[in-house]
Amino acid sequence: MEEVALKDLDPRLQKQIENARKAVDKNPAYAVDIVSNIVIRHPECLDARRLLRQAQERGSLAKSKGIGALLSKVTSIPFSMGGYAKVKKDPEQALVSAEQMLSANPSNIVAHKMIGAAAEALELFETAAFAYEQIRKIEPNDVGNIKALMSAYIHIGKSEDAIRIGDAAFHQHPADDEIQSLIKQASVEQSIDKGNWEEEKSFRDKLKDEEQAQK
């Protein structure tokens, strides 16, 4: 499965999303309802999922912060016991289930983990990175999530970001070989990307020189 931009969806769906965007602040429940249906039909559209998350967060402002944190911790138990099995069996349905959990509590770390794992299973690595970024906002020192985010960044070509968060994590966990390995992997990818860019630049310069010589 490949991620698609909002502009690639059916124009009628784009119109619905635009209406939902306008309603996020005044009627977030309506926006959640509209965008949830679109995300179910198009789990590969990260733009729609981002808007859904925004609407879910707006709709949860009235909830107690303490209750939200408690729910997040309590619901982490079933994921550790069988969440990954559910993701592996049916990742698309896991995405749907996770979004339902987030509509009830946008700070539910389990749901974000489920989205990250399911997105990886579907090779939607930008969506996975988005999920891990959400967890990092809630639990910035979760080293397991930082590793998952680094891996997702490497997959989508954000090696510099992977190195940045990896360096910070490595200072806190200098004995963690996995973080160091991910930093090295990101550095290699960054060097390859830079080398390819320099080769392309050199090739363009060569063509330009040939054109001038022919003239």
Side-chain angles (χ1 to χ4, degrees):
M1 187 177 290
E2 294 184 3
E3 271 143 334
V4 299
L6 191 60
K7 62 182 179 61
D8 297 321
L9 296 183
D10 185 292
R12 290 170 294 183
L13 295 181
Q14 293 184 43
K15 182 64 177 178
Q16 290 180 28
I17 288 177
E18 183 57 33
N19 291 337
R21 196 187 305 278
K22 293 176 181 177
V24 164
D25 290 323
K26 295 183 178 180
N27 193 353
Y30 167 79
V32 168
D33 189 39
I34 294 298
V35 185
S36 290
N37 291 326
I38 295 174
V39 168
I40 289 173
R41 293 168 59 185
H42 294 280
E44 73 279 14
C45 184
L46 179 55
D47 292 336
R49 197 177 299 276
R50 288 184 187 277
L51 178 59
L52 175 57
R53 196 72 67 250
Q54 183 182 356
Q56 289 166 336
E57 290 172 353
R58 289 284 194 280
S60 71
L61 290 178
K63 292 184 178 180
S64 167
K65 184 177 180 181
I67 293 176
L70 178 62
L71 275 172
S72 179
K73 291 179 181 178
V74 169
T75 51
S76 66
I77 298 172
F79 185 74
S80 61
M81 294 171 63
Y84 284 111
K86 184 176 182 179
V87 166
K88 187 175 181 180
K89 182 178 179 181
D90 190 347
E92 288 193 41
Q93 183 56 45
L95 289 174
V96 174
S97 299
E99 289 296 354
Q100 292 172 344
M101 295 163 68
L102 290 172
S103 290
N105 174 25
S107 296
N108 191 322
I109 292 177
V110 177
H112 290 297
K113 285 184 177 179
M114 191 179 293
I115 288 177
E120 286 183 348
L122 294 168
E123 297 187 355
L124 299 173
F125 292 107
E126 288 191 34
T127 299
F130 173 63
Y132 299 137
E133 286 169 347
Q134 298 301 298
I135 296 174
R136 190 161 178 254
K137 290 178 183 178
I138 303 167
E139 293 287 351
N141 296 320
D142 184 333
V143 67
N145 179 68
I146 290 173
K147 294 175 191 176
L149 180 55
M150 289 176 69
S151 180
Y153 276 158
I154 291 170
H155 270 99
I156 61 178
K158 290 188 174 182
S159 299
E160 186 175 347
D161 289 333
I163 294 170
R164 174 177 53 80
I165 64 172
D167 283 341
F170 189 66
H171 282 303
Q172 294 181 334
H173 306 276
D176 196 314
D177 293 336
E178 190 176 354
I179 294 176
Q180 190 173 12
S181 177
L182 285 166
I183 292 173
K184 289 180 179 178
Q185 185 180 346
S187 298
V188 170
E189 292 295 328
Q190 189 179 46
S191 297
I192 291 173
D193 291 341
K194 184 178 179 181
N196 289 339
W197 182 83
E198 289 177 345
E199 286 178 9
E200 287 181 15
K201 183 179 179 182
S202 177
F203 182 66
R204 289 195 299 269
D205 290 341
K206 185 177 180 181
L207 285 178
K208 185 177 179 181
D209 291 341
E210 289 182 357
E211 288 175 359
Q212 289 177 343
Q214 286 177 359
K215 289 180 180 179

